[in-house]
Amino acid sequence: MTTNLLEFDLEGLAVFCEGLGEKRFRATQLFRWIHQRGAADFEHMSDLAKSLRQKLLSHAHVAPLPLISQHISADGTIKWLFDVGDGNAIESVFIPEDDRGTLCISSQAGCAVGCRFCSTGHQGFSRNLTTGEILAQLWFAEHFLRQHVKTDERVISNVVMMGMGEPLQNYSALVPALRAMLDDHGYGLSRRRVTVSTSGVVPMIERLSGDCPVALAVSLHAPFDALRDNLVPLNRKYPLDELMQACIGYLAHAPRDFITFEYCMLDGVNDQPEHASALIDLVQRHARQGLRCKFNLIPFNPFPASGLLRSPQTRVQAFAKQLQEAGLVTTVRKTRGDDIDAACGQLAGDVKDRTQVQSRMAEQRTLNWVPLSAVTFSEPRHDTKPKN
């Protein structure tokens, strides 16, 4: 069985080449052919020694993900559905803008976190993607788009790990993929332009700050634990105070001097003036310890199984104004690709659920949201289980 070379960052590829009896500089040449030029056929890699090409034919291959479908939105957004085997499919989205091209990449087939407002979470979880499956999404998109616009220049300037899955629950595959994205011999992306979005896996946030610090976005969605427990179940293990401390620690290593907090606006759930006040209080308390952040308010993209509705635009704007008047940098995300189900929270792919998440989430749809009057903000919660 041959080895898929998309599974390696440059260091891993160098080790592989050394195993074939080749010098490390050959790995750099090979890495450039694969990632900068999009080559999958070793015979076309003209500056590689013929003896090496013969070895590669016997020991290696470059495995793109089979493309199932492509959908193009009226606003130019493109969504691709890829087959990752065993009945599972994942989605990736390219978002073109005047000053950038952003690719949203999946890290898992499904998601085990089960956030109430995310269609991927409602679908359940099948498995982690490999490094090669993560990188294959970028490999395909970059070189497909170059052919489409007939350019040798880089088309994708930004990558966001905001597709299907929780990236930090697939850490061992994520980090080599990030390193390949950042490598000047690969895609040469800036650390500031590669973003990992997490629902708050605190220990992995701390590890990422040392292993491969890139821009960090945290799916916040609630200003206090009682509400966030219901919206983002991972909060029961890593409550807000611990999450804020992890964000503060990450800033010492981050390429940007702020953490982005994503906040999905849910009608009557987390969008009231009292919620904005509680959010301001949360940030200001931790700002005294070094927290610097900006908010990205996200219009919810409804789907029937969620039992949730989008906040009215007037309420979203009022919420943003309240945060801004308190000195918090706040933007409202422009919805892109919603006509092809490619907007934030809509990616669902097709996975074989191993978690029975739909039945568990159905039980939560009738829950009553905890009233603000029942919440105490002054002390962090201490009722979480010890972490492994």
Side-chain angles (χ1 to χ4, degrees):
M1 190 176 200
T2 59
T3 300
N4 178 14
L5 299 186
L6 289 177
E7 295 291 346
F8 298 126
D9 59 11
L10 182 54
E11 179 60 29
L13 189 58
V15 172
F16 176 80
C17 287
E18 287 179 336
L20 297 179
E22 297 290 335
K23 301 288 187 182
R24 289 176 68 90
F25 80 91
R26 292 299 189 192
T28 300
Q29 291 178 305
L30 183 54
F31 202 70
R32 287 173 177 167
W33 273 106
I34 294 169
H35 295 290
Q36 292 186 351
R37 303 190 189 185
D41 186 341
F42 301 128
E43 291 295 340
H44 292 164
M45 300 180 183
S46 55
D47 62 349
L48 296 185
K50 187 173 181 179
S51 59
L52 172 56
R53 281 182 271 164
Q54 289 300 316
K55 291 178 186 177
L56 291 172
L57 288 170
S58 300
H59 294 88
H61 65 284
V62 177
L65 291 176
L67 179 65
I68 298 173
S69 65
Q70 171 181 282
H71 298 281
I72 303 177
S73 169
D75 62 22
T77 299
I78 306 174
K79 181 176 73 171
W80 294 290
L81 182 69
F82 295 105
D83 184 357
V84 292
D86 194 30
N88 297 309
I90 60 164
E91 292 178 330
S92 310
V93 176
F94 175 67
I95 306 165
E97 297 180 80
D98 291 340
D99 61 342
R100 73 189 69 183
T102 301
L103 183 68
C104 181
I105 289 180
S106 295
S107 57
Q108 296 177 314
C111 184
V113 175
C115 297
R116 285 202 62 205
F117 46 83
C118 177
S119 59
T120 304
H122 276 259
Q123 192 179 25
F125 174 77
S126 181
R127 67 171 177 86
N128 287 328
L129 300 185
T130 68
T131 296
E133 289 168 335
I134 294 172
L135 277 177
Q137 297 168 70
L138 175 57
W139 185 87
F140 170 87
E142 174 65 28
H143 299 292
F144 170 86
L145 292 167
R146 285 189 196 180
Q147 292 175 9
H148 182 70
V149 299
K150 296 180 172 55
T151 181
D152 292 328
E153 301 298 320
R154 190 171 64 202
V155 178
I156 295 169
S157 61
N158 295 59
V159 168
V160 291
M161 300 300 305
M162 295 182 183
M164 297 171 63
E166 164 54 64
L168 295 186
Q169 288 186 337
N170 188 13
Y171 192 83
S172 62
L174 171 70
V175 170
L178 293 177
R179 288 175 174 156
M181 295 175 196
L182 299 172
D183 199 298
D184 287 340
H185 299 295
Y187 299 92
L189 295 171
S190 163
R191 290 182 184 272
R192 295 170 57 87
R193 291 177 174 267
V194 176
T195 300
V196 169
S197 177
T198 177
S199 53
V201 188
V202 166
M204 296 299 103
I205 292 174
E206 295 168 350
R207 281 187 61 184
L208 187 65
S209 69
D211 291 341
C212 191
V214 292
L216 187 69
V218 174
S219 296
L220 196 61
H221 311 303
F224 52 86
D225 286 314
L227 177 58
R228 195 165 189 267
D229 284 352
N230 288 321
L231 291 176
V232 185
L234 191 67
N235 194 73
R236 297 165 193 163
K237 187 171 186 180
Y238 306 115
L240 279 169
D241 186 66
E242 292 183 26
L243 179 56
M244 294 300 110
Q245 293 302 319
C247 290
I248 292 168
Y250 194 87
L251 282 168
H253 308 274
R256 292 182 173 180
D257 61 358
F258 60 87
I259 302 293
T260 299
F261 287 136
E262 309 280 357
Y263 197 95
C264 187
M265 300 293 292
L266 305 170
D267 186 22
V269 175
N270 66 352
D271 62 349
Q272 301 301 304
E274 294 88 350
H275 292 107
S277 296
L279 206 55
I280 293 164
D281 177 71
L282 174 72
V283 170
Q284 289 180 343
R285 282 188 289 115
H286 289 91
R288 293 191 285 269
Q289 302 172 53
L291 178 66
R292 298 181 301 279
C293 64
K294 77 171 189 178
F295 279 89
N296 191 5
L297 305 184
I298 304 171
F300 174 57
N301 295 296
F303 56 97
S306 70
L308 299 167
L309 299 174
R310 177 183 291 190
S311 299
Q313 184 64 19
T314 54
R315 194 177 304 152
V316 174
Q317 294 298 334
F319 198 95
K321 183 179 179 182
Q322 191 171 346
L323 297 184
Q324 290 164 348
E325 289 178 344
L328 303 181
V329 177
T330 305
T331 58
V332 178
R333 179 178 292 177
K334 181 181 178 181
T335 299
R336 299 289 301 270
D338 52 350
D339 58 328
I340 56 170
D341 292 335
C344 184
Q346 290 184 309
L347 299 191
D350 188 12
V351 304
K352 289 186 176 180
D353 179 27
R354 299 201 313 242
T355 58
Q356 286 85 50
V357 71
Q358 292 190 30
S359 59
R360 290 187 287 106
M361 294 184 80
E363 296 173 359
Q364 298 182 27
R365 288 179 200 148
T366 57
L367 62 84
N368 294 318
W369 305 109
V370 177
L372 282 159
S373 58
V375 178
T376 301
F377 301 105
S378 58
E379 296 293 334
R381 192 177 66 182
H382 298 287
D383 61 349
T384 55
K385 297 178 181 178
K387 291 187 278 292
N388 295 330

